[in-house]
Amino acid sequence: MSKFWSPLVNDLVPYVPGEQPKVANLIKLNTNESPFGPSPKVIAAVQAELNDTLRLYPDPEGESLRKTIAAYHGITPGQVFLGNGSDEVLAHIFYGLFQHGEPVLFPDVTYSFYPVYCGLYGIESRQIPLTDSFEIDPAEYTGPNGGVIFPNPNAPTGRYLELEHIETILHANPDRVVVVDEAYIDFGGTSAITLVDRYPNLLVTQTLSKSRALAGLRVGFAVGHPDLIEALNRVKNSFNSYPLDRLALAGAKAAYEDEAWFQQCCQTVIAERERVTQALEQQGFEVLPSRANFVLARHPDKSGQHLATGLREKGIIVRHFNKPRISEYLRITIGTTSQNDALIDGLAAL
């Protein structure tokens, strides 16, 4: 605390990102990064941008990348907004599209950045409890609110909400923006982007950090009605007109142009997720059904903290949230086959 801090800064409770360890040779299964590198076409595209043009500003609108994303999803470029990772996109949504006089609705067990944004922008919130089986109940997302947001699949639970249930939430909130945060959608779900032309209050966010292995480039986007996109552009251009640099724009575009690499990586993660789930269940773990690149699991006889500490001593890092309802669980990123084998063996030893 400092006398130079504003009252806002003094009261903020910042988001705590997953650990990026400085110790070598750790098996890192704590931040849901891809276990595989990006497409070789991405590397080539980024390297091609390492030239004298770096002295010039990038395209502030990211027109070429927006056209590529639009063509991939069967929408128009005017329905796409780009940001420096989906976290920046979400920040602009909280500031520019949620009504600040009423509470924003989101699950009680979900992405922990949501309450941080509310604190930063002075937005009220109301956390809707997940069911006993950690599922989103669409019937609970009604009544006066400033907007609705939830991940699908949810994080850190990994549970997926079918599109018909998302439509129930959209119908219940026709005058408020409903945001579906799809950071993990490529690992087994159907994107709500297919609904944006039917619902002007729907905004879908995605990231290239997970399924396209570009966490280090920081690229995210939103898809929705052009009116929603215009609002986000107004906020962006009042904050940072150049959110994506030349390397990120080139790399992201190339990632979308290598569908075979993308599909191979996703299918491998999905297969490994099922194998890890079965192995953990054989050890007595309860594992929530997941459509993400991670699983949330607990053991009836061992605390989450005990297991996380024990794994770390074996050189394996997983995520343990010391939070209500999930303090006994571990969130485990799906790694390579050898990394997953080390995890399974490490837990068996514990």
Side-chain angles (χ1 to χ4, degrees):
M1 182 176 179
S2 167
K3 67 179 181 180
F4 301 111
W5 289 8
S6 72
L8 172 64
V9 169
N10 185 62
D11 294 337
L12 281 178
V13 180
Y15 173 75
V16 179
E19 179 187 2
Q20 297 292 338
K22 304 299 189 293
V23 181
N25 300 319
L26 290 176
I27 295 177
K28 190 172 181 297
L29 304 177
N30 66 323
T31 49
N32 300 340
E33 294 149 322
S34 172
F36 311 109
S39 159
K41 293 182 179 180
V42 170
I43 304 300
V46 170
Q47 290 175 335
E49 287 296 314
L50 295 175
N51 55 54
D52 183 64
T53 59
L54 288 180
R55 65 189 173 83
L56 302 174
Y57 285 111
D59 176 6
E61 305 304 325
E63 182 177 359
S64 180
L65 177 57
R66 286 171 50 240
K67 286 182 177 179
T68 298
I69 293 173
Y72 186 88
H73 290 288
I75 53 176
T76 68
Q79 293 174 286
V80 180
F81 173 81
L82 302 176
N84 189 259
S86 61
D87 285 338
E88 183 183 74
V89 175
L90 292 168
H92 291 340
I93 291 168
F94 272 77
Y95 191 73
L97 289 174
F98 289 152
Q99 303 303 309
H100 294 198
E102 296 178 289
V104 173
L105 309 184
F106 50 81
D108 65 333
V109 180
T110 194
Y111 187 29
S112 52
F113 226 137
Y114 298 162
V116 173
Y117 292 133
C118 288
L120 178 62
Y121 296 127
I123 304 173
E124 296 180 32
S125 65
R126 180 158 62 90
Q127 298 187 23
I128 310 298
L130 297 176
T131 66
D132 291 342
S133 55
F134 290 101
E135 295 177 277
I136 290 174
D137 182 356
E140 294 295 320
Y141 289 81
T142 60
N145 65 73
V148 176
I149 184 169
F150 55 89
N152 195 39
N154 192 17
T157 67
R159 300 210 66 142
Y160 174 71
L161 190 66
E162 298 289 348
L163 292 186
E164 62 187 275
H165 300 309
I166 292 176
E167 290 191 82
T168 297
I169 296 174
L170 288 162
H171 283 296
N173 298 276
D175 299 320
R176 291 292 183 263
V177 174
V178 174
V179 180
V180 183
D181 182 356
E182 293 186 342
Y184 304 100
I185 195 65
D186 295 323
F187 299 106
T190 300
S191 175
I193 288 176
T194 58
L195 303 177
V196 294
D197 286 336
R198 293 161 51 192
Y199 296 96
N201 60 327
L202 171 62
L203 195 69
V204 180
T205 63
Q206 289 194 10
T207 177
L208 277 70
S209 295
K210 315 297 184 184
S211 58
R212 296 184 189 274
L214 294 183
L217 278 190
R218 313 307 304 127
V219 181
F221 64 92
V223 173
H225 190 280
D227 288 349
L228 302 182
I229 303 304
E230 181 182 356
L232 294 178
N233 277 313
R234 289 171 66 87
V235 174
K236 184 262 289 187
N237 289 323
S238 302
F239 176 75
N240 177 15
S241 295
Y242 302 96
L244 295 185
D245 60 40
R246 288 177 172 270
L247 306 185
L249 288 169
K253 188 173 187 296
Y256 270 96
E257 292 171 348
D258 194 345
E259 181 70 6
W261 183 273
F262 165 71
Q263 291 293 343
Q264 177 184 341
C265 292
C266 287
Q267 293 307 313
T268 302
V269 168
I270 291 170
E272 280 294 297
R273 181 186 69 208
E274 301 313 307
R275 185 175 74 88
V276 168
T277 296
Q278 292 177 8
L280 294 184
E281 289 176 342
Q282 289 172 0
Q283 293 185 20
F285 280 86
E286 173 194 352
V287 185
L288 296 187
S290 175
R291 298 277 192 97
N293 68 339
F294 60 84
V295 295
L296 193 70
R298 71 173 177 180
H299 196 278
D301 301 324
K302 301 290 183 180
S303 73
Q305 182 62 66
H306 169 82
L307 292 172
T309 301
L311 285 173
R312 188 180 184 90
E313 292 172 353
K314 298 177 181 297
I316 303 169
I317 303 178
V318 297
R319 193 80 189 264
H320 173 251
F321 298 94
N322 188 19
K323 294 183 176 182
R325 301 189 68 184
I326 58 171
S327 61
E328 297 305 316
Y329 286 82
L330 300 178
R331 192 196 69 188
I332 303 169
T333 302
I334 301 302
T336 63
T337 298
S338 62
Q339 289 174 332
N340 296 333
D341 286 342
L343 167 81
I344 293 166
D345 292 343
L347 286 172
L350 291 171

